[in-house]
């Protein structure tokens, strides 16, 4: 019997592509939020003896995680044999060490919660900085995919004479690869974060690149202060056409208008989190991985 795909929360372009391309049944379920804030889950499809794929990004993780865990436990009680989670954006990875005395290393605790509820996990460009792989904190099989080729293709088709810029050391892993794909120069800047919304960017002398069009590439755009500060610095030294590319469009609170107000030429993101800037479809890499790894379909 074919696996059942459930989209918890909003149906996404990714779940639609999976349903269209692979031999999957669309699962029916409802989530209910009671007036006191508790969540109720009802699975309407017959999941007995069936394998399940859940598709949901884990932005807004605190709101989404408990319903996900309840869903997985309900499905298991109703006879589901295996539950996999495709979370194009995986949250709780940035707190990967105790930065200040007394702080919790939430990446580990979150990984423990998910590992106890699901059987496998697939995600795109997780923020692995001090961890080398998801296996360091997740105890279930993890499939990590990269949007680098998709991003490189977008740049090739839309930007003349690009020059890639990564805002900090961590971004070098994907910026270097994308630059290689598009055969463009790249530069990695130095970032100092003083608080959630306070970021300093050190820009070296880049006059030699004046004839290029900067393309800022980052994995997550959250408060957008990293990207906004970099755009402002670049404008000050004379660059006018500046593109911003993010894998995960979190855009917390007023982040999006703040970034637009810098006068950035264009902002594009992958469709890992639904947002109006989504211009780079990554469903193909998920489909390829499901087929290649012989997961369910
Ligand atoms: C940082 O380590 C990440 O790679 C991003 O640069 C960061 O998450 C961006 O955050 P924000 O948009 O809040 O400046």
């Amino acid at each position: 019997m074919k696996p059942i795909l459930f989209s918890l929360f909003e149906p996404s372009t990714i779940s639609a592509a999976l349903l269209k391309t692979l031999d999957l049944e669309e699962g029916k379920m409802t989530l209910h939020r009671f007036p006191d804030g508790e969540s109720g889950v009802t699975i309407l499809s017959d999941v007995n003896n069936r394998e399940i794929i859940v598709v949901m990004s884990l932005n807004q993780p605190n709101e989404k995680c408990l319903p996900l865990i309840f869903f997985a436990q309900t499905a298991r009680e109703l006879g589901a044999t295996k539950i996999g989670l495709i979370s194009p954006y995986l949250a709780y990875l940035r707190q990967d060490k105790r930065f200040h005395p007394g702080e919790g290393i939430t990446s580990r605790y979150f990984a423990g919660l998910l590992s106890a509820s699901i059987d496998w996990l697939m995600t795109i460009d997780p923020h692995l900085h001090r961890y080398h792989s998801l296996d360091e904190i997740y105890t279930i099989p993890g499939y990590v995919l990269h949007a680098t080729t998709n991003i490189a293709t977008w740049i090739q088709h839309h930007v003349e004479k690009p020059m890639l810029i990564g805002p900090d050391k961590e971004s070098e892993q994907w910026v270097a690869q994308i630059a290689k794909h598009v055969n463009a120069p790249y530069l990695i800047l130095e970032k100092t974060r003083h608080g959630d919304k306070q970021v300093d960017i050190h820009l070296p002398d880049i006059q030699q690149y004046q004839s290029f069009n900067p393309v800022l590439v980052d994995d997550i755009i959250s408060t957008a202060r990293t990207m906004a500060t970099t755009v402002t610095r670049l404008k000050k030294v004379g660059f006018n056409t500046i593109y911003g590319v993010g894998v995960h469009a979190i855009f917390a609170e007023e982040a999006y208008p703040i970034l637009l107000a810098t006068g950035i030429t264009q902002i594009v993101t992958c469709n890992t989190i639904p947002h109006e800037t989504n211009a780079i479809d990554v469903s193909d890499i998920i489909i390829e991985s499901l087929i290649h790894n012989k997961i369910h379909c």
Side-chain angles (χ1 to χ4, degrees), residues 94 127 129 167-168 170-171 174 191 193 196 199 218-227:
R94 281 175 288 179
H127 189 86
H129 180 200
D168 51 29
E170 292 146 69
S171 62
W174 45 86
K191 173 168 97 179
R193 189 177 277 282
D196 290 346
V199 168
D218 209 349
D219 60 341
I220 300 170
I221 309 177
S222 179
T223 66
R225 297 317 196 271
T226 301
M227 213 170 256

Side-chain angles (χ1 to χ4, degrees), residues 162-165 179 183-187 209 212:
M163 178 219 177
L164 271 69
I165 297 189
N183 196 19
Y186 78 89
L187 200 67
Y209 296 113
F212 286 84

Side-chain angles (χ1 to χ4, degrees), residues 101-285:
E103 262 177 14
I105 305 173
T106 50
S107 52
R108 256 198 245 146
Y109 318 146
F110 189 70
L113 277 175
L114 285 192
S115 298
S117 296
I118 54 173
D119 299 302
W120 57 266
L121 169 68
M122 182 178 286
T123 190
I124 298 180
D125 287 318
H127 189 86
L128 295 174
H129 180 200
R130 288 168 192 86
Y131 301 125
H132 298 106
S133 116
L134 287 181
D135 299 347
E136 288 179 41
I137 47 175
Y138 282 83
T139 55
I140 49 174
Y143 302 91
V144 170
L145 317 180
H146 300 284
T148 38
T149 309
N150 306 54
I151 292 174
T153 305
W154 186 89
I155 294 172
Q156 275 167 334
H157 286 105
H158 296 87
V159 185
E160 260 181 54
K161 229 178 159 199
M163 178 219 177
L164 271 69
I165 297 189
D168 51 29
K169 194 74 198 132
E170 292 146 69
S171 62
E172 185 157 11
Q173 45 182 313
W174 45 86
V175 172
Q177 284 207 29
I178 297 168
K180 200 170 155 196
H181 272 289
V182 299
N183 196 19
Y186 78 89
L187 200 67
I188 302 298
L189 310 182
E190 275 170 44
K191 173 168 97 179
T192 313
R193 189 177 277 282
H194 300 288
D196 290 346
K197 297 180 181 174
Q198 283 168 312
V199 168
D200 266 348
I201 296 283
H202 172 72
L203 194 66
D205 180 7
I206 55 169
Q207 289 311 315
Q208 54 176 313
Y209 296 113
Q210 276 295 349
S211 64
F212 286 84
N213 292 314
V215 182
L216 317 183
V217 180
D218 209 349
D219 60 341
I220 300 170
I221 309 177
S222 179
T223 66
R225 297 317 196 271
T226 301
M227 213 170 256
T229 309
T230 312
V231 174
T232 307
R233 292 270 184 283
L234 287 166
K235 288 214 156 223
K236 264 201 184 137
V237 296
F239 289 93
N240 288 317
T241 306
I242 304 168
Y243 297 84
V245 179
V247 179
H248 306 295
I250 292 187
F251 290 111
E253 300 167 352
E254 75 283 31
Y256 188 43
I258 283 176
L259 186 52
L260 288 175
T262 60
I264 190 168
T265 309
Q266 192 176 357
I267 309 161
V268 299
T269 57
C270 300
N271 58 344
T272 57
I273 298 172
H275 189 262
E276 63 182 88
T277 55
N278 290 171
I280 304 171
D281 182 18
V282 289
S283 28
D284 60 333
I285 56 174

